Structures are given as structure tokens and as C-alpha cells.
């Protein structure tokens, strides 16, 4: 190769990454957009957030608090945690990336499940490490299969609980069995982005397990139930040794001042969280029943979204339904990249959006193919 055609070469693994494709945010021209593609809340953030944002906006010339202390304090009070075990991130995506930066190097292996969140695969490859993808059973993580995939090279296991895009979850005794079966050098990353929505007696987000083990961390987000996706706020609860390692690698001001103030106000408004959870429960059950009555398959979900399975009939597939709905303003999520070529994921939306999707699908499925 001549010198002129040489160019900088990305690190190993980088060009194997399939870039993350966010949920679409455009409908056909001239129709009202109902964005149901990224699991955002139809209720928006707490009304308290606006005042907090305005107060923070009064001093934009100052660097934010690099420790995000006000936010850590609010999280710690909400859940009864020690702030020293909390690390905040520019969305939980940043925290997932920091974990791979600190614990993975080329040659290492990291495990995630077949229908797991795509960010894990991207972050593992970005470090030149090898993703080991483990089969699920009935669209649910399988603890025995995960444990069977552990080798001498395994350093991380990612588990979204509940999982996106399936909406399924592992009961706490299964998560505990997973942790107990892992070598102590393997870090278990519990991504509990949808934890607030789960109303099951056998579910626990991971707080208990982090408190009792050295090799478990839990990540949470303000993007879903708290309605702050635009501001990018996430947090991790982790053993102090993990927090101290990640703290060295993160950007010194990884959360901006508006995000810190908004997050603290949002998590303190528990009434707003309760309203969002109640709305979700009511409409998730309603959507599930309505889709099933239309003859569609729905994976049982504990999150704020449902995975809808379509027939193979030409003209009635997920791709056809997606086009039909988008023309009417209802933007759902294709999930082929998650191993579901004939399904759509729908965020539980406003009453108007939910009723609109069901009515549109009834016409779509009843019409000529
Ligand atoms: C939405 C989501 C997140 C949240 O990511 P942020 O970067 O905090 O917005 C994390 N994990 C899963 C599985 C998600 O679906």
C-alpha cells in the first residue's frame, strides 16, 4: 500500500459493530405523531422538573458538580442507599460503556442473551472483546444456559431484568442462583431500566444482591418512568470498589447541571412515579387483551411496552403493519435486530395513542391482503 492510501485504522472489533438504530421519531407528513418506539413515558416528567431546570439554567457559565452530589443524595434517600455506592451517568448507556472500558480487554469474553439489549453487544465489541450470545427459553433468560457459557475468559455477564424488547423478567431467586453460580471474578451487570414498572412479588431490581456480593452492579435510568430521556441521566448501584474504578475513567463532568437538577426533582416526586406506573399497568393489560382478541400473539410483559407477534401471511406481517401504522402517525419499533423479524414492539402510550393503534390494527387485519 502506498503512503497516500494509508489511513488511521480503528481498533479491533470496532468495524464489526452494527451501529445502534434508535426508534424512529417521524410519522408520515400531515398526520399527528404518536412516538411509541423508544419506551418513553406518555405522562412526561414530574411538574417539579420544570422549576428545577429553570433554576439550573440561571448559571450556565459554571461547570456542573462533577460528583453530581445533589442527584446522588436524592437517589440515596429514595432507596435508603449509601451515596458512596452510587455512580451517575450520562444515561445508563454511559455506565454500561464504562463497565466494559474498565473490565474488558481484547481476548476477553462477555455474555449477553439472545434477545438482550443491543447496547451490550456494541460495547463489548468496542473493547475488542468477544460477545458470547446465550440462547433464551420462551423469550426469557435461561440461568443454566448462561452458566454453561462461562469460560476462563468470561469477565462480564449482562442481564436486562426486565428485558427489552421482550418485557419478560427473571424472578429474584433465579437472579440469585445466577450470581451464586458465577466465578467471583465475573461481574454481573443487572440492567433494571424498567424496574419501577414491575409489580410482582418475586421481582427485585438487584439492590439486595449488590449489597450482599462483590461482583454485582445494578443500573437504572431516568429515561423511562421519570420521563427525562432527553437529558440523559442514569445511575448505578455498585460495590465501592467498582464505583471507585469507574470514577477514574468517566468524564469529570459527565452529567450536565440541568440533568443533575432535573433528576433530583424527578426522583423526589414519588406521586408522579405512582401515576405513571398505574397508567402503564392499566393500559398494558388493556393493550395485551385487545391484541390477543385480534388474533395477535403478545409476549407477557412487566415493562412499559409489549412485543406483538404478527402472522406470516403476506400483507399482514410486522413489516406491513409497521408501514400501515406509520402512515397513520403510530410509530412502533421493528425488532428484527433483536431476533424477532415478525414482531413489533409498542410502548404503552397515551389513551389516545393506545386506542388509535388498536383501531388501526383491527382495520389492517380485517382488510383485504
Ligand atoms: C431504555 C433502556 C436503557 C436506558 O438507557 P439510557 O441510556 O439511560 O437512556 C437501558 N437499558 C435498557 C434495557 C433499556 O431498554
Amino acid at each position: 500500500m502506498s503512503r497516500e492510501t494509508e489511513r488511521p485504522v480503528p481498533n479491533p472489533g470496532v468495524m464489526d459493530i452494527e451501529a445502534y438504530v434508535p426508534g424512529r421519531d417521524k410519522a408520515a407528513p400531515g398526520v399527528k405523531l404518536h412516538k411509541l418506539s423508544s419506551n418513553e413515558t406518555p405522562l412526561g416528567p414530574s411538574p417539579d422538573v420544570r422549576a428545577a431546570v429553570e433554576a439550573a439554567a440561571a448559571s450556565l457559565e459554571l461547570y456542573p458538580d462533577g460528583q453530581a452530589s445533589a442527584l446522588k443524595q436524592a437517589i440515596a434517600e429514595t432507596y435508603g442507599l449509601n451515596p458512596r455506592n452510587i455512580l451517575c451517568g450520562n444515561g445508563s448507556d454511559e455506565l454500561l460503556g464504562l463497565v466494559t472500558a474498565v473490565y474488558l480487554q481484547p481476548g476477553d469474553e462477555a455474555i449477553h442473551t439472545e434477545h438482550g439489549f443491543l447496547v451490550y453487544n456494541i460495547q463489548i465489541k468496542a473493547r475488542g472483546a468477544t460477545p458470547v450470545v446465550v440462547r433464551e427459553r420462551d423469550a426469557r433468560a435461561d440461568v443454566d444456559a448462561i452458566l454453561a457459557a462461562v469460560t476462563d475468559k468470561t469477565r462480564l455477564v449482562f442481564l436486562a431484568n426486565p428485558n427489552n424488547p421482550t418485557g419478560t423478567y427473571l424472578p429474584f431467586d433465579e437472579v440469585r442462583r445466577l450470581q451464586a453460580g458465577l466465578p467471583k471474578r465475573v461481574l454481573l451487570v443487572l440492567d433494571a431500566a424498567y424496574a419501577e414498572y414491575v409489580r410482582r412479588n418475586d421481582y427485585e431490581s438487584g439492590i439486595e444482591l449488590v449489597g450482599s456480593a462483590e461482583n454485582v452492579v445494578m443500573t437504572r435510568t431516568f429515561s423511562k418512568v421519570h420521563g427525562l430521556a432527553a437529558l440523559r441521566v442514569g445511575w448505578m448501584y455498585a460495590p465501592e470498589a467498582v464505583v471507585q474504578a469507574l470514577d477514574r475513567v468517566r468524564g469529570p463532568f459527565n452529567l450536565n447541571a440541568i440533568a443533575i437538577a432535573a433528576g433530583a426533582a424527578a426522583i423526589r416526586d414519588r406521586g408522579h412515579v405512582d401515576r405513571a406506573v398505574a397508567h402503564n399497568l392499566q393500559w398494558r393489560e388493556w393493550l395485551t387483551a385487545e391484541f390477543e382478541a385480534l388474533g395477535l400473539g403478545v409476549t407477557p410483559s412487566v415493562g412499559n411496552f409489549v412485543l406483538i407477534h404478527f402472522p406470516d401471511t403476506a400483507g399482514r406481517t410486522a413489516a406491513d403493519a409497521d408501514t400501515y401504522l406509520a402512515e397513520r402517525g403510530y410509530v412502533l419499533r421493528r425488532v428484527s435486530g433483536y431476533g424477532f423479524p415478525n414482531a413489533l414492539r409498542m410502548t404503552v402510550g397515551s389513551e389516545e395513542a393506545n386506542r388509535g393503534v388498536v383501531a388501526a390494527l383491527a382495520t389492517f387485519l380485517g382488510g383485504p391482503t
Side-chain angles (χ1 to χ4, degrees):
M1 200 189 284
S2 77
R3 275 184 98 71
E4 283 68 34
T5 59
E6 284 177 14
R7 53 184 176 171
V9 177
N11 286 338
V14 171
M15 299 313 291
D16 300 331
I17 293 172
E18 280 190 53
Y20 185 84
V21 182
R24 280 171 302 151
D25 58 1
K26 300 270 184 304
V31 296
K32 179 176 172 183
L33 170 69
H34 295 280
K35 184 168 186 272
L36 305 167
S37 57
S38 300
N39 300 343
E40 296 131 329
T41 172
L43 273 60
S46 156
D48 299 346
V49 164
R50 181 178 291 271
V53 166
E54 279 167 10
S59 36
L60 295 181
E61 72 284 9
L62 301 180
Y63 275 96
D65 169 16
Q67 290 299 325
S69 305
L71 179 56
K72 281 185 192 169
Q73 194 55 41
I75 295 167
E77 284 171 19
T78 302
Y79 292 101
L81 308 176
N82 185 335
R84 291 152 72 93
N85 295 107
I86 296 172
L87 184 71
C88 297
N90 190 255
S92 50
D93 282 352
E94 183 192 24
L95 298 165
L96 298 170
L98 285 173
V99 168
T100 62
V102 167
Y103 293 102
L104 290 181
Q105 41 185 351
D108 290 340
E109 293 175 0
I111 294 173
H112 66 82
T113 64
E114 191 182 352
H115 305 299
F117 191 38
L118 287 173
V119 167
Y120 312 146
N121 193 274
I122 291 172
Q123 290 293 346
I124 294 163
K125 287 178 179 159
R127 308 300 164 189
T130 306
V132 174
V133 183
V134 172
R135 258 185 322 95
E136 298 188 7
R137 190 188 284 260
D138 298 331
R140 209 183 79 158
D142 178 342
V143 167
D144 294 307
I146 295 172
L147 290 175
V150 173
T151 73
D152 288 347
K153 295 179 180 165
T154 309
R155 304 217 47 211
L156 293 176
V157 174
F158 287 99
L159 181 72
N161 197 31
N163 186 50
N164 167 19
T166 52
T168 57
Y169 76 106
L170 277 192
F172 190 54
D173 57 354
E174 283 289 280
V175 179
R176 200 178 273 282
R177 194 164 72 80
L178 172 60
Q179 187 274 334
L182 290 174
K184 296 213 180 331
R185 65 184 156 74
V186 175
L187 184 66
L188 174 60
V189 182
L190 298 174
D191 177 349
Y194 301 96
E196 294 87 350
Y197 290 110
V198 186
R199 286 290 176 267
R200 296 294 172 98
N201 290 334
D202 60 355
Y203 175 80
E204 207 273 322
S205 61
I207 288 179
E208 269 186 49
L209 198 55
V210 172
S212 66
E214 285 296 313
N215 65 334
V216 185
V217 303
M218 173 195 69
T219 58
R220 300 284 283 262
T221 184
F222 283 79
S223 302
K224 306 287 157 59
V225 80
H226 295 297
L228 296 180
L231 291 181
R232 317 303 306 122
V233 191
W235 60 281
M236 174 182 280
Y237 179 55
E240 224 176 312
V242 176
V243 172
Q244 287 176 2
L246 301 194
D247 239 338
R248 287 166 159 76
V249 174
R250 70 176 172 88
F253 304 102
N254 58 335
L255 273 83
N256 68 71
I258 291 178
I260 293 168
I267 204 166
R268 289 206 151 97
D269 187 350
R270 299 198 197 191
H272 189 74
V273 172
D274 291 343
R275 281 188 291 278
V277 171
H279 173 93
N280 185 65
L281 189 62
Q282 177 192 343
W283 288 100
R284 187 184 67 216
E285 301 308 299
W286 184 82
L287 286 168
T288 303
E290 293 288 328
F291 292 141
E292 284 175 349
L294 290 174
L296 300 169
V298 182
T299 304
S301 171
V302 295
N304 69 335
F305 53 90
V306 286
L307 186 65
I308 315 164
H309 302 271
F310 287 80
D312 290 325
T313 326
R316 301 257 159 96
T317 65
D320 299 319
D322 187 43
T323 305
Y324 185 90
L325 290 169
E327 281 167 359
R328 285 152 186 81
Y330 305 106
V331 177
L332 278 61
R333 180 65 161 258
R334 297 283 321 262
V335 282
S336 309
Y338 284 97
F340 295 106
N342 204 19
L344 297 177
R345 190 193 69 198
M346 175 187 172
T347 307
V348 175
S350 64
E351 174 173 355
E352 179 191 356
N354 299 334
R355 291 192 186 280
V357 170
V358 167
L361 281 182
T363 312
F364 167 76
L365 292 165
T369 52

